[in-house]
Amino acid sequence: MVNLREATPADYHQIQVLDARYHLGTLTEIEWQHLYAGSPFVERCNFAWPLGWVLETPENIIVGHIGNVLVEYSLNGQSLVGASANRWVVDADFRKHSTELAKRFFAQPQVDLFLNTTATWPSGRAFGRLGALRPPVEAYDRAKFWILDHPAFVSSLLAKKNVPLAQAMGYPAGALLSLASLIRSFGKCKPNRSALVWELSAFDERFDNFWRILRAQPNRLLCVRDRAALAWRFEKPLRNGNAWVLAGNDDSGQLASYAVFLRQDSPDINLRRMRLVDFQSVGDGATFLRRAIEHSLARCHDDRVHVLEVIGFGVARKRQIENLAPYRRQLPSWMFWYKAADRLPELAQSLENPELWDPCTYDGDGCF
Ligand SMILES: CC(C)(COP(=O)(O)OP(=O)(O)OC[C@H]1O[C@@H](n2cnc3c(N)ncnc32)[C@H](O)[C@@H]1OP(=O)(O)O)[C@@H](O)C(=O)NCCC(=O)NCCS
């Protein structure tokens, strides 16, 4: 017998224990509050936002949890209430109750768009069974990447495949891969310390103006990127040097493009990784994108980051990135699932149009 109830701040410690047991990583209490209750959209909503739900035994032991992250979306000038499922976990002995948590997540009457943007294989499968769909874009199960440190990359790859002596084999195999990379990287982005981009240390009012321009574009589903929403995601990593914000101006000195790179390591296999998590521009932004990636590759090199990686994006952006990145890899699962609320059939229908979509790690809870 387990009881399903709304999560409260007092559940923090038990949820961390559960998350750690299933290798989901842990959050400090401040990070936890910031994620579930700190969205700038929470203050503007006229309803109480649940932090998530838990499954609890009669002895008050928490054996399951699904987090509920509030994210605002915009489509054709309309604001949409988005809920992103986060860190869904159920103790192995109680998995027959997993779906109850997911069903509770989907039963929120105030939500327009339900999301799971960091899905593992079982969570994606369960979401699909509950009516969630893959956005009509290709390859949210593939990543494009650049290698900065070939021996370290090979060691991580071997460690992931549980190959003994992965560390020792990294050097000889990495040297060979490094030679192959010389050929493969011809015409692709390379580290460039003098690429013409500006690195910013904070989001200023120019980002609110820029968001007004982005939001006015017709038929684009966009997770809100005003100054407050960007700061909610990136202020702390920016302060710690774990996020880089690069900007490009147009001829009149106005912000015309920006890209955010965020550190997302895989400590279990000793991989130091930077990800391009957001890229927006007025126009195609191709020149800026190349410069931003080249600048970041140089910074990755200086910071001893092993790989730079990109996941997602819609048709046009994906093509741009594919032209610049020498490598791609298959991810363990399709990561992005969505469902329009049942009371909004016209939204569900419009989301079938691939041109609306440009999904990336910025969406949902991908940057937390
Ligand atoms: C996410 C979670 C709550 C989903 O629970 P669930 O819907 O009950 O799914 P299960 O974990 O029982 O897995 C369902 C099935 O998929 C199988 N499966 C799991 N991972 C798989 C993979 N990578 N490839 C193929 N099959 C897989 C399981 O063996 C199981 O098979 P069965 O139905 O024949 O027994 C649960 O998997 C969990 O707590 N996982 C650990 C935390 C986690 O990774 N959370 C995801 C964060 S988004």
Side-chain angles (χ1 to χ4, degrees):
M1 262 292 286
V2 287
N3 174 38
L4 190 156
R5 63 162 173 80
E6 203 173 303
T8 73
D11 298 327
Y12 162 76
H13 290 286
Q14 282 210 58
I15 291 172
Q16 295 314 297
V17 172
L18 192 58
D19 283 357
R21 202 171 329 134
Y22 289 95
H23 313 289
L24 294 182
T26 52
L27 299 170
T28 64
E29 203 157 355
I30 290 171
E31 287 167 345
W32 198 78
Q33 286 284 348
H34 181 74
L35 172 59
Y36 298 121
S39 164
F41 195 31
V42 167
E43 285 159 29
R44 285 186 282 123
C45 283
N46 54 2
F47 48 78
W49 185 254
L51 303 175
W53 293 270
V54 294
L55 289 170
E56 192 178 47
T57 66
E59 297 77 33
N60 303 114
I61 308 291
I62 290 179
V63 292
H65 168 243
I66 192 166
N68 191 35
V69 179
L70 174 61
V71 281
E72 185 182 11
Y73 273 74
S74 170
L75 177 61
N76 290 329
Q78 241 193 311
S79 165
L80 299 174
V81 177
S84 187
N86 175 265
R87 291 160 182 262
W88 180 26
V89 58
V90 177
D91 203 278
D93 292 343
F94 295 87
R95 292 272 161 95
K96 66 173 188 246
H97 299 285
S98 307
T99 317
E100 292 163 31
L101 279 172
K103 281 188 175 160
R104 188 63 197 80
F105 169 77
F106 281 118
Q108 299 181 77
Q110 68 277 36
V111 172
D112 302 320
L113 184 62
F114 298 94
L115 295 154
N116 185 346
T117 62
T118 47
T120 55
W121 193 91
S123 76
R125 186 179 84 154
F127 266 59
R129 285 182 172 170
L130 292 170
L133 300 169
R134 300 170 181 217
V137 294
E138 282 174 34
Y140 221 93
D141 55 356
R142 256 170 284 160
K144 277 76 67 183
F145 65 100
W146 294 257
I147 306 173
L148 282 305
D149 184 329
H150 293 82
F153 170 76
V154 173
S155 297
S156 299
L157 198 70
L158 297 176
K160 194 166 192 165
K161 296 192 184 305
N162 293 318
V163 175
L165 298 173
Q167 191 73 28
M169 285 166 71
Y171 278 93
L176 284 177
L177 181 64
S178 173
L179 278 177
S181 269
L182 281 179
I183 300 161
R184 214 181 164 111
S185 300
F186 186 73
K188 310 287 185 193
C189 281
K190 300 204 179 56
N192 178 1
R193 280 174 186 77
S194 48
L196 264 182
V197 287
W198 283 265
E199 205 168 320
L200 307 180
S201 56
F203 297 99
D204 54 28
E205 63 290 342
R206 291 182 301 161
F207 283 86
D208 278 335
N209 295 333
F210 192 59
W211 169 243
R212 276 191 277 277
I213 298 168
L214 291 178
R215 190 181 57 183
Q217 295 172 342
N219 296 326
R220 284 196 74 194
L221 176 73
L222 281 173
C223 190
V224 167
R225 288 160 161 89
D226 60 13
R227 186 180 174 182
L230 288 161
W232 175 49
R233 285 176 173 80
F234 301 122
E235 209 164 50
K236 185 169 171 235
L238 253 174
R239 263 202 315 272
N240 298 342
N242 290 328
W244 308 331
V245 180
L246 305 182
N249 291 343
D250 63 16
D251 294 341
S252 62
Q254 299 295 312
L255 183 65
S257 312
Y258 78 84
V260 184
F261 296 80
L262 185 66
R263 195 70 183 267
Q264 293 191 329
D265 292 352
S266 283
D268 49 328
I269 52 167
N270 288 323
L271 185 70
R272 292 160 67 94
R273 175 172 49 210
M274 204 71 192
R275 282 205 172 113
L276 170 64
V277 293
D278 192 18
F279 162 46
Q280 297 297 323
S281 69
V282 177
D284 83 347
T287 307
F288 167 78
L289 180 65
R290 179 178 266 274
R291 288 174 179 167
I293 291 174
E294 291 190 341
H295 176 94
S296 297
L297 287 171
R299 273 209 68 174
C300 285
H301 192 269
D302 296 344
D303 288 11
R304 300 179 52 224
V305 171
H306 305 145
V307 291
L308 175 67
E309 185 172 80
V310 189
I311 297 173
F313 287 103
V315 180
R317 296 263 186 259
K318 200 164 67 63
R319 201 168 303 133
Q320 288 178 327
I321 293 161
E322 270 168 4
N323 287 336
L324 302 174
Y327 291 101
R328 57 218 57 190
R329 74 178 174 101
Q330 188 68 37
L331 299 171
S333 58
W334 183 274
M335 292 175 71
F336 199 119
W337 297 82
Y338 80 95
K339 185 178 187 290
D342 291 338
R343 65 186 153 73
L344 299 173
E346 26 353 284
L347 175 64
Q349 199 181 358
S350 57
L351 293 178
E352 288 171 15
N353 178 2
E355 285 168 22
L356 249 63
W357 289 89
D358 196 17
C360 64
T361 309
Y362 184 87
D363 283 82
D365 64 341
C367 290
F368 290 100

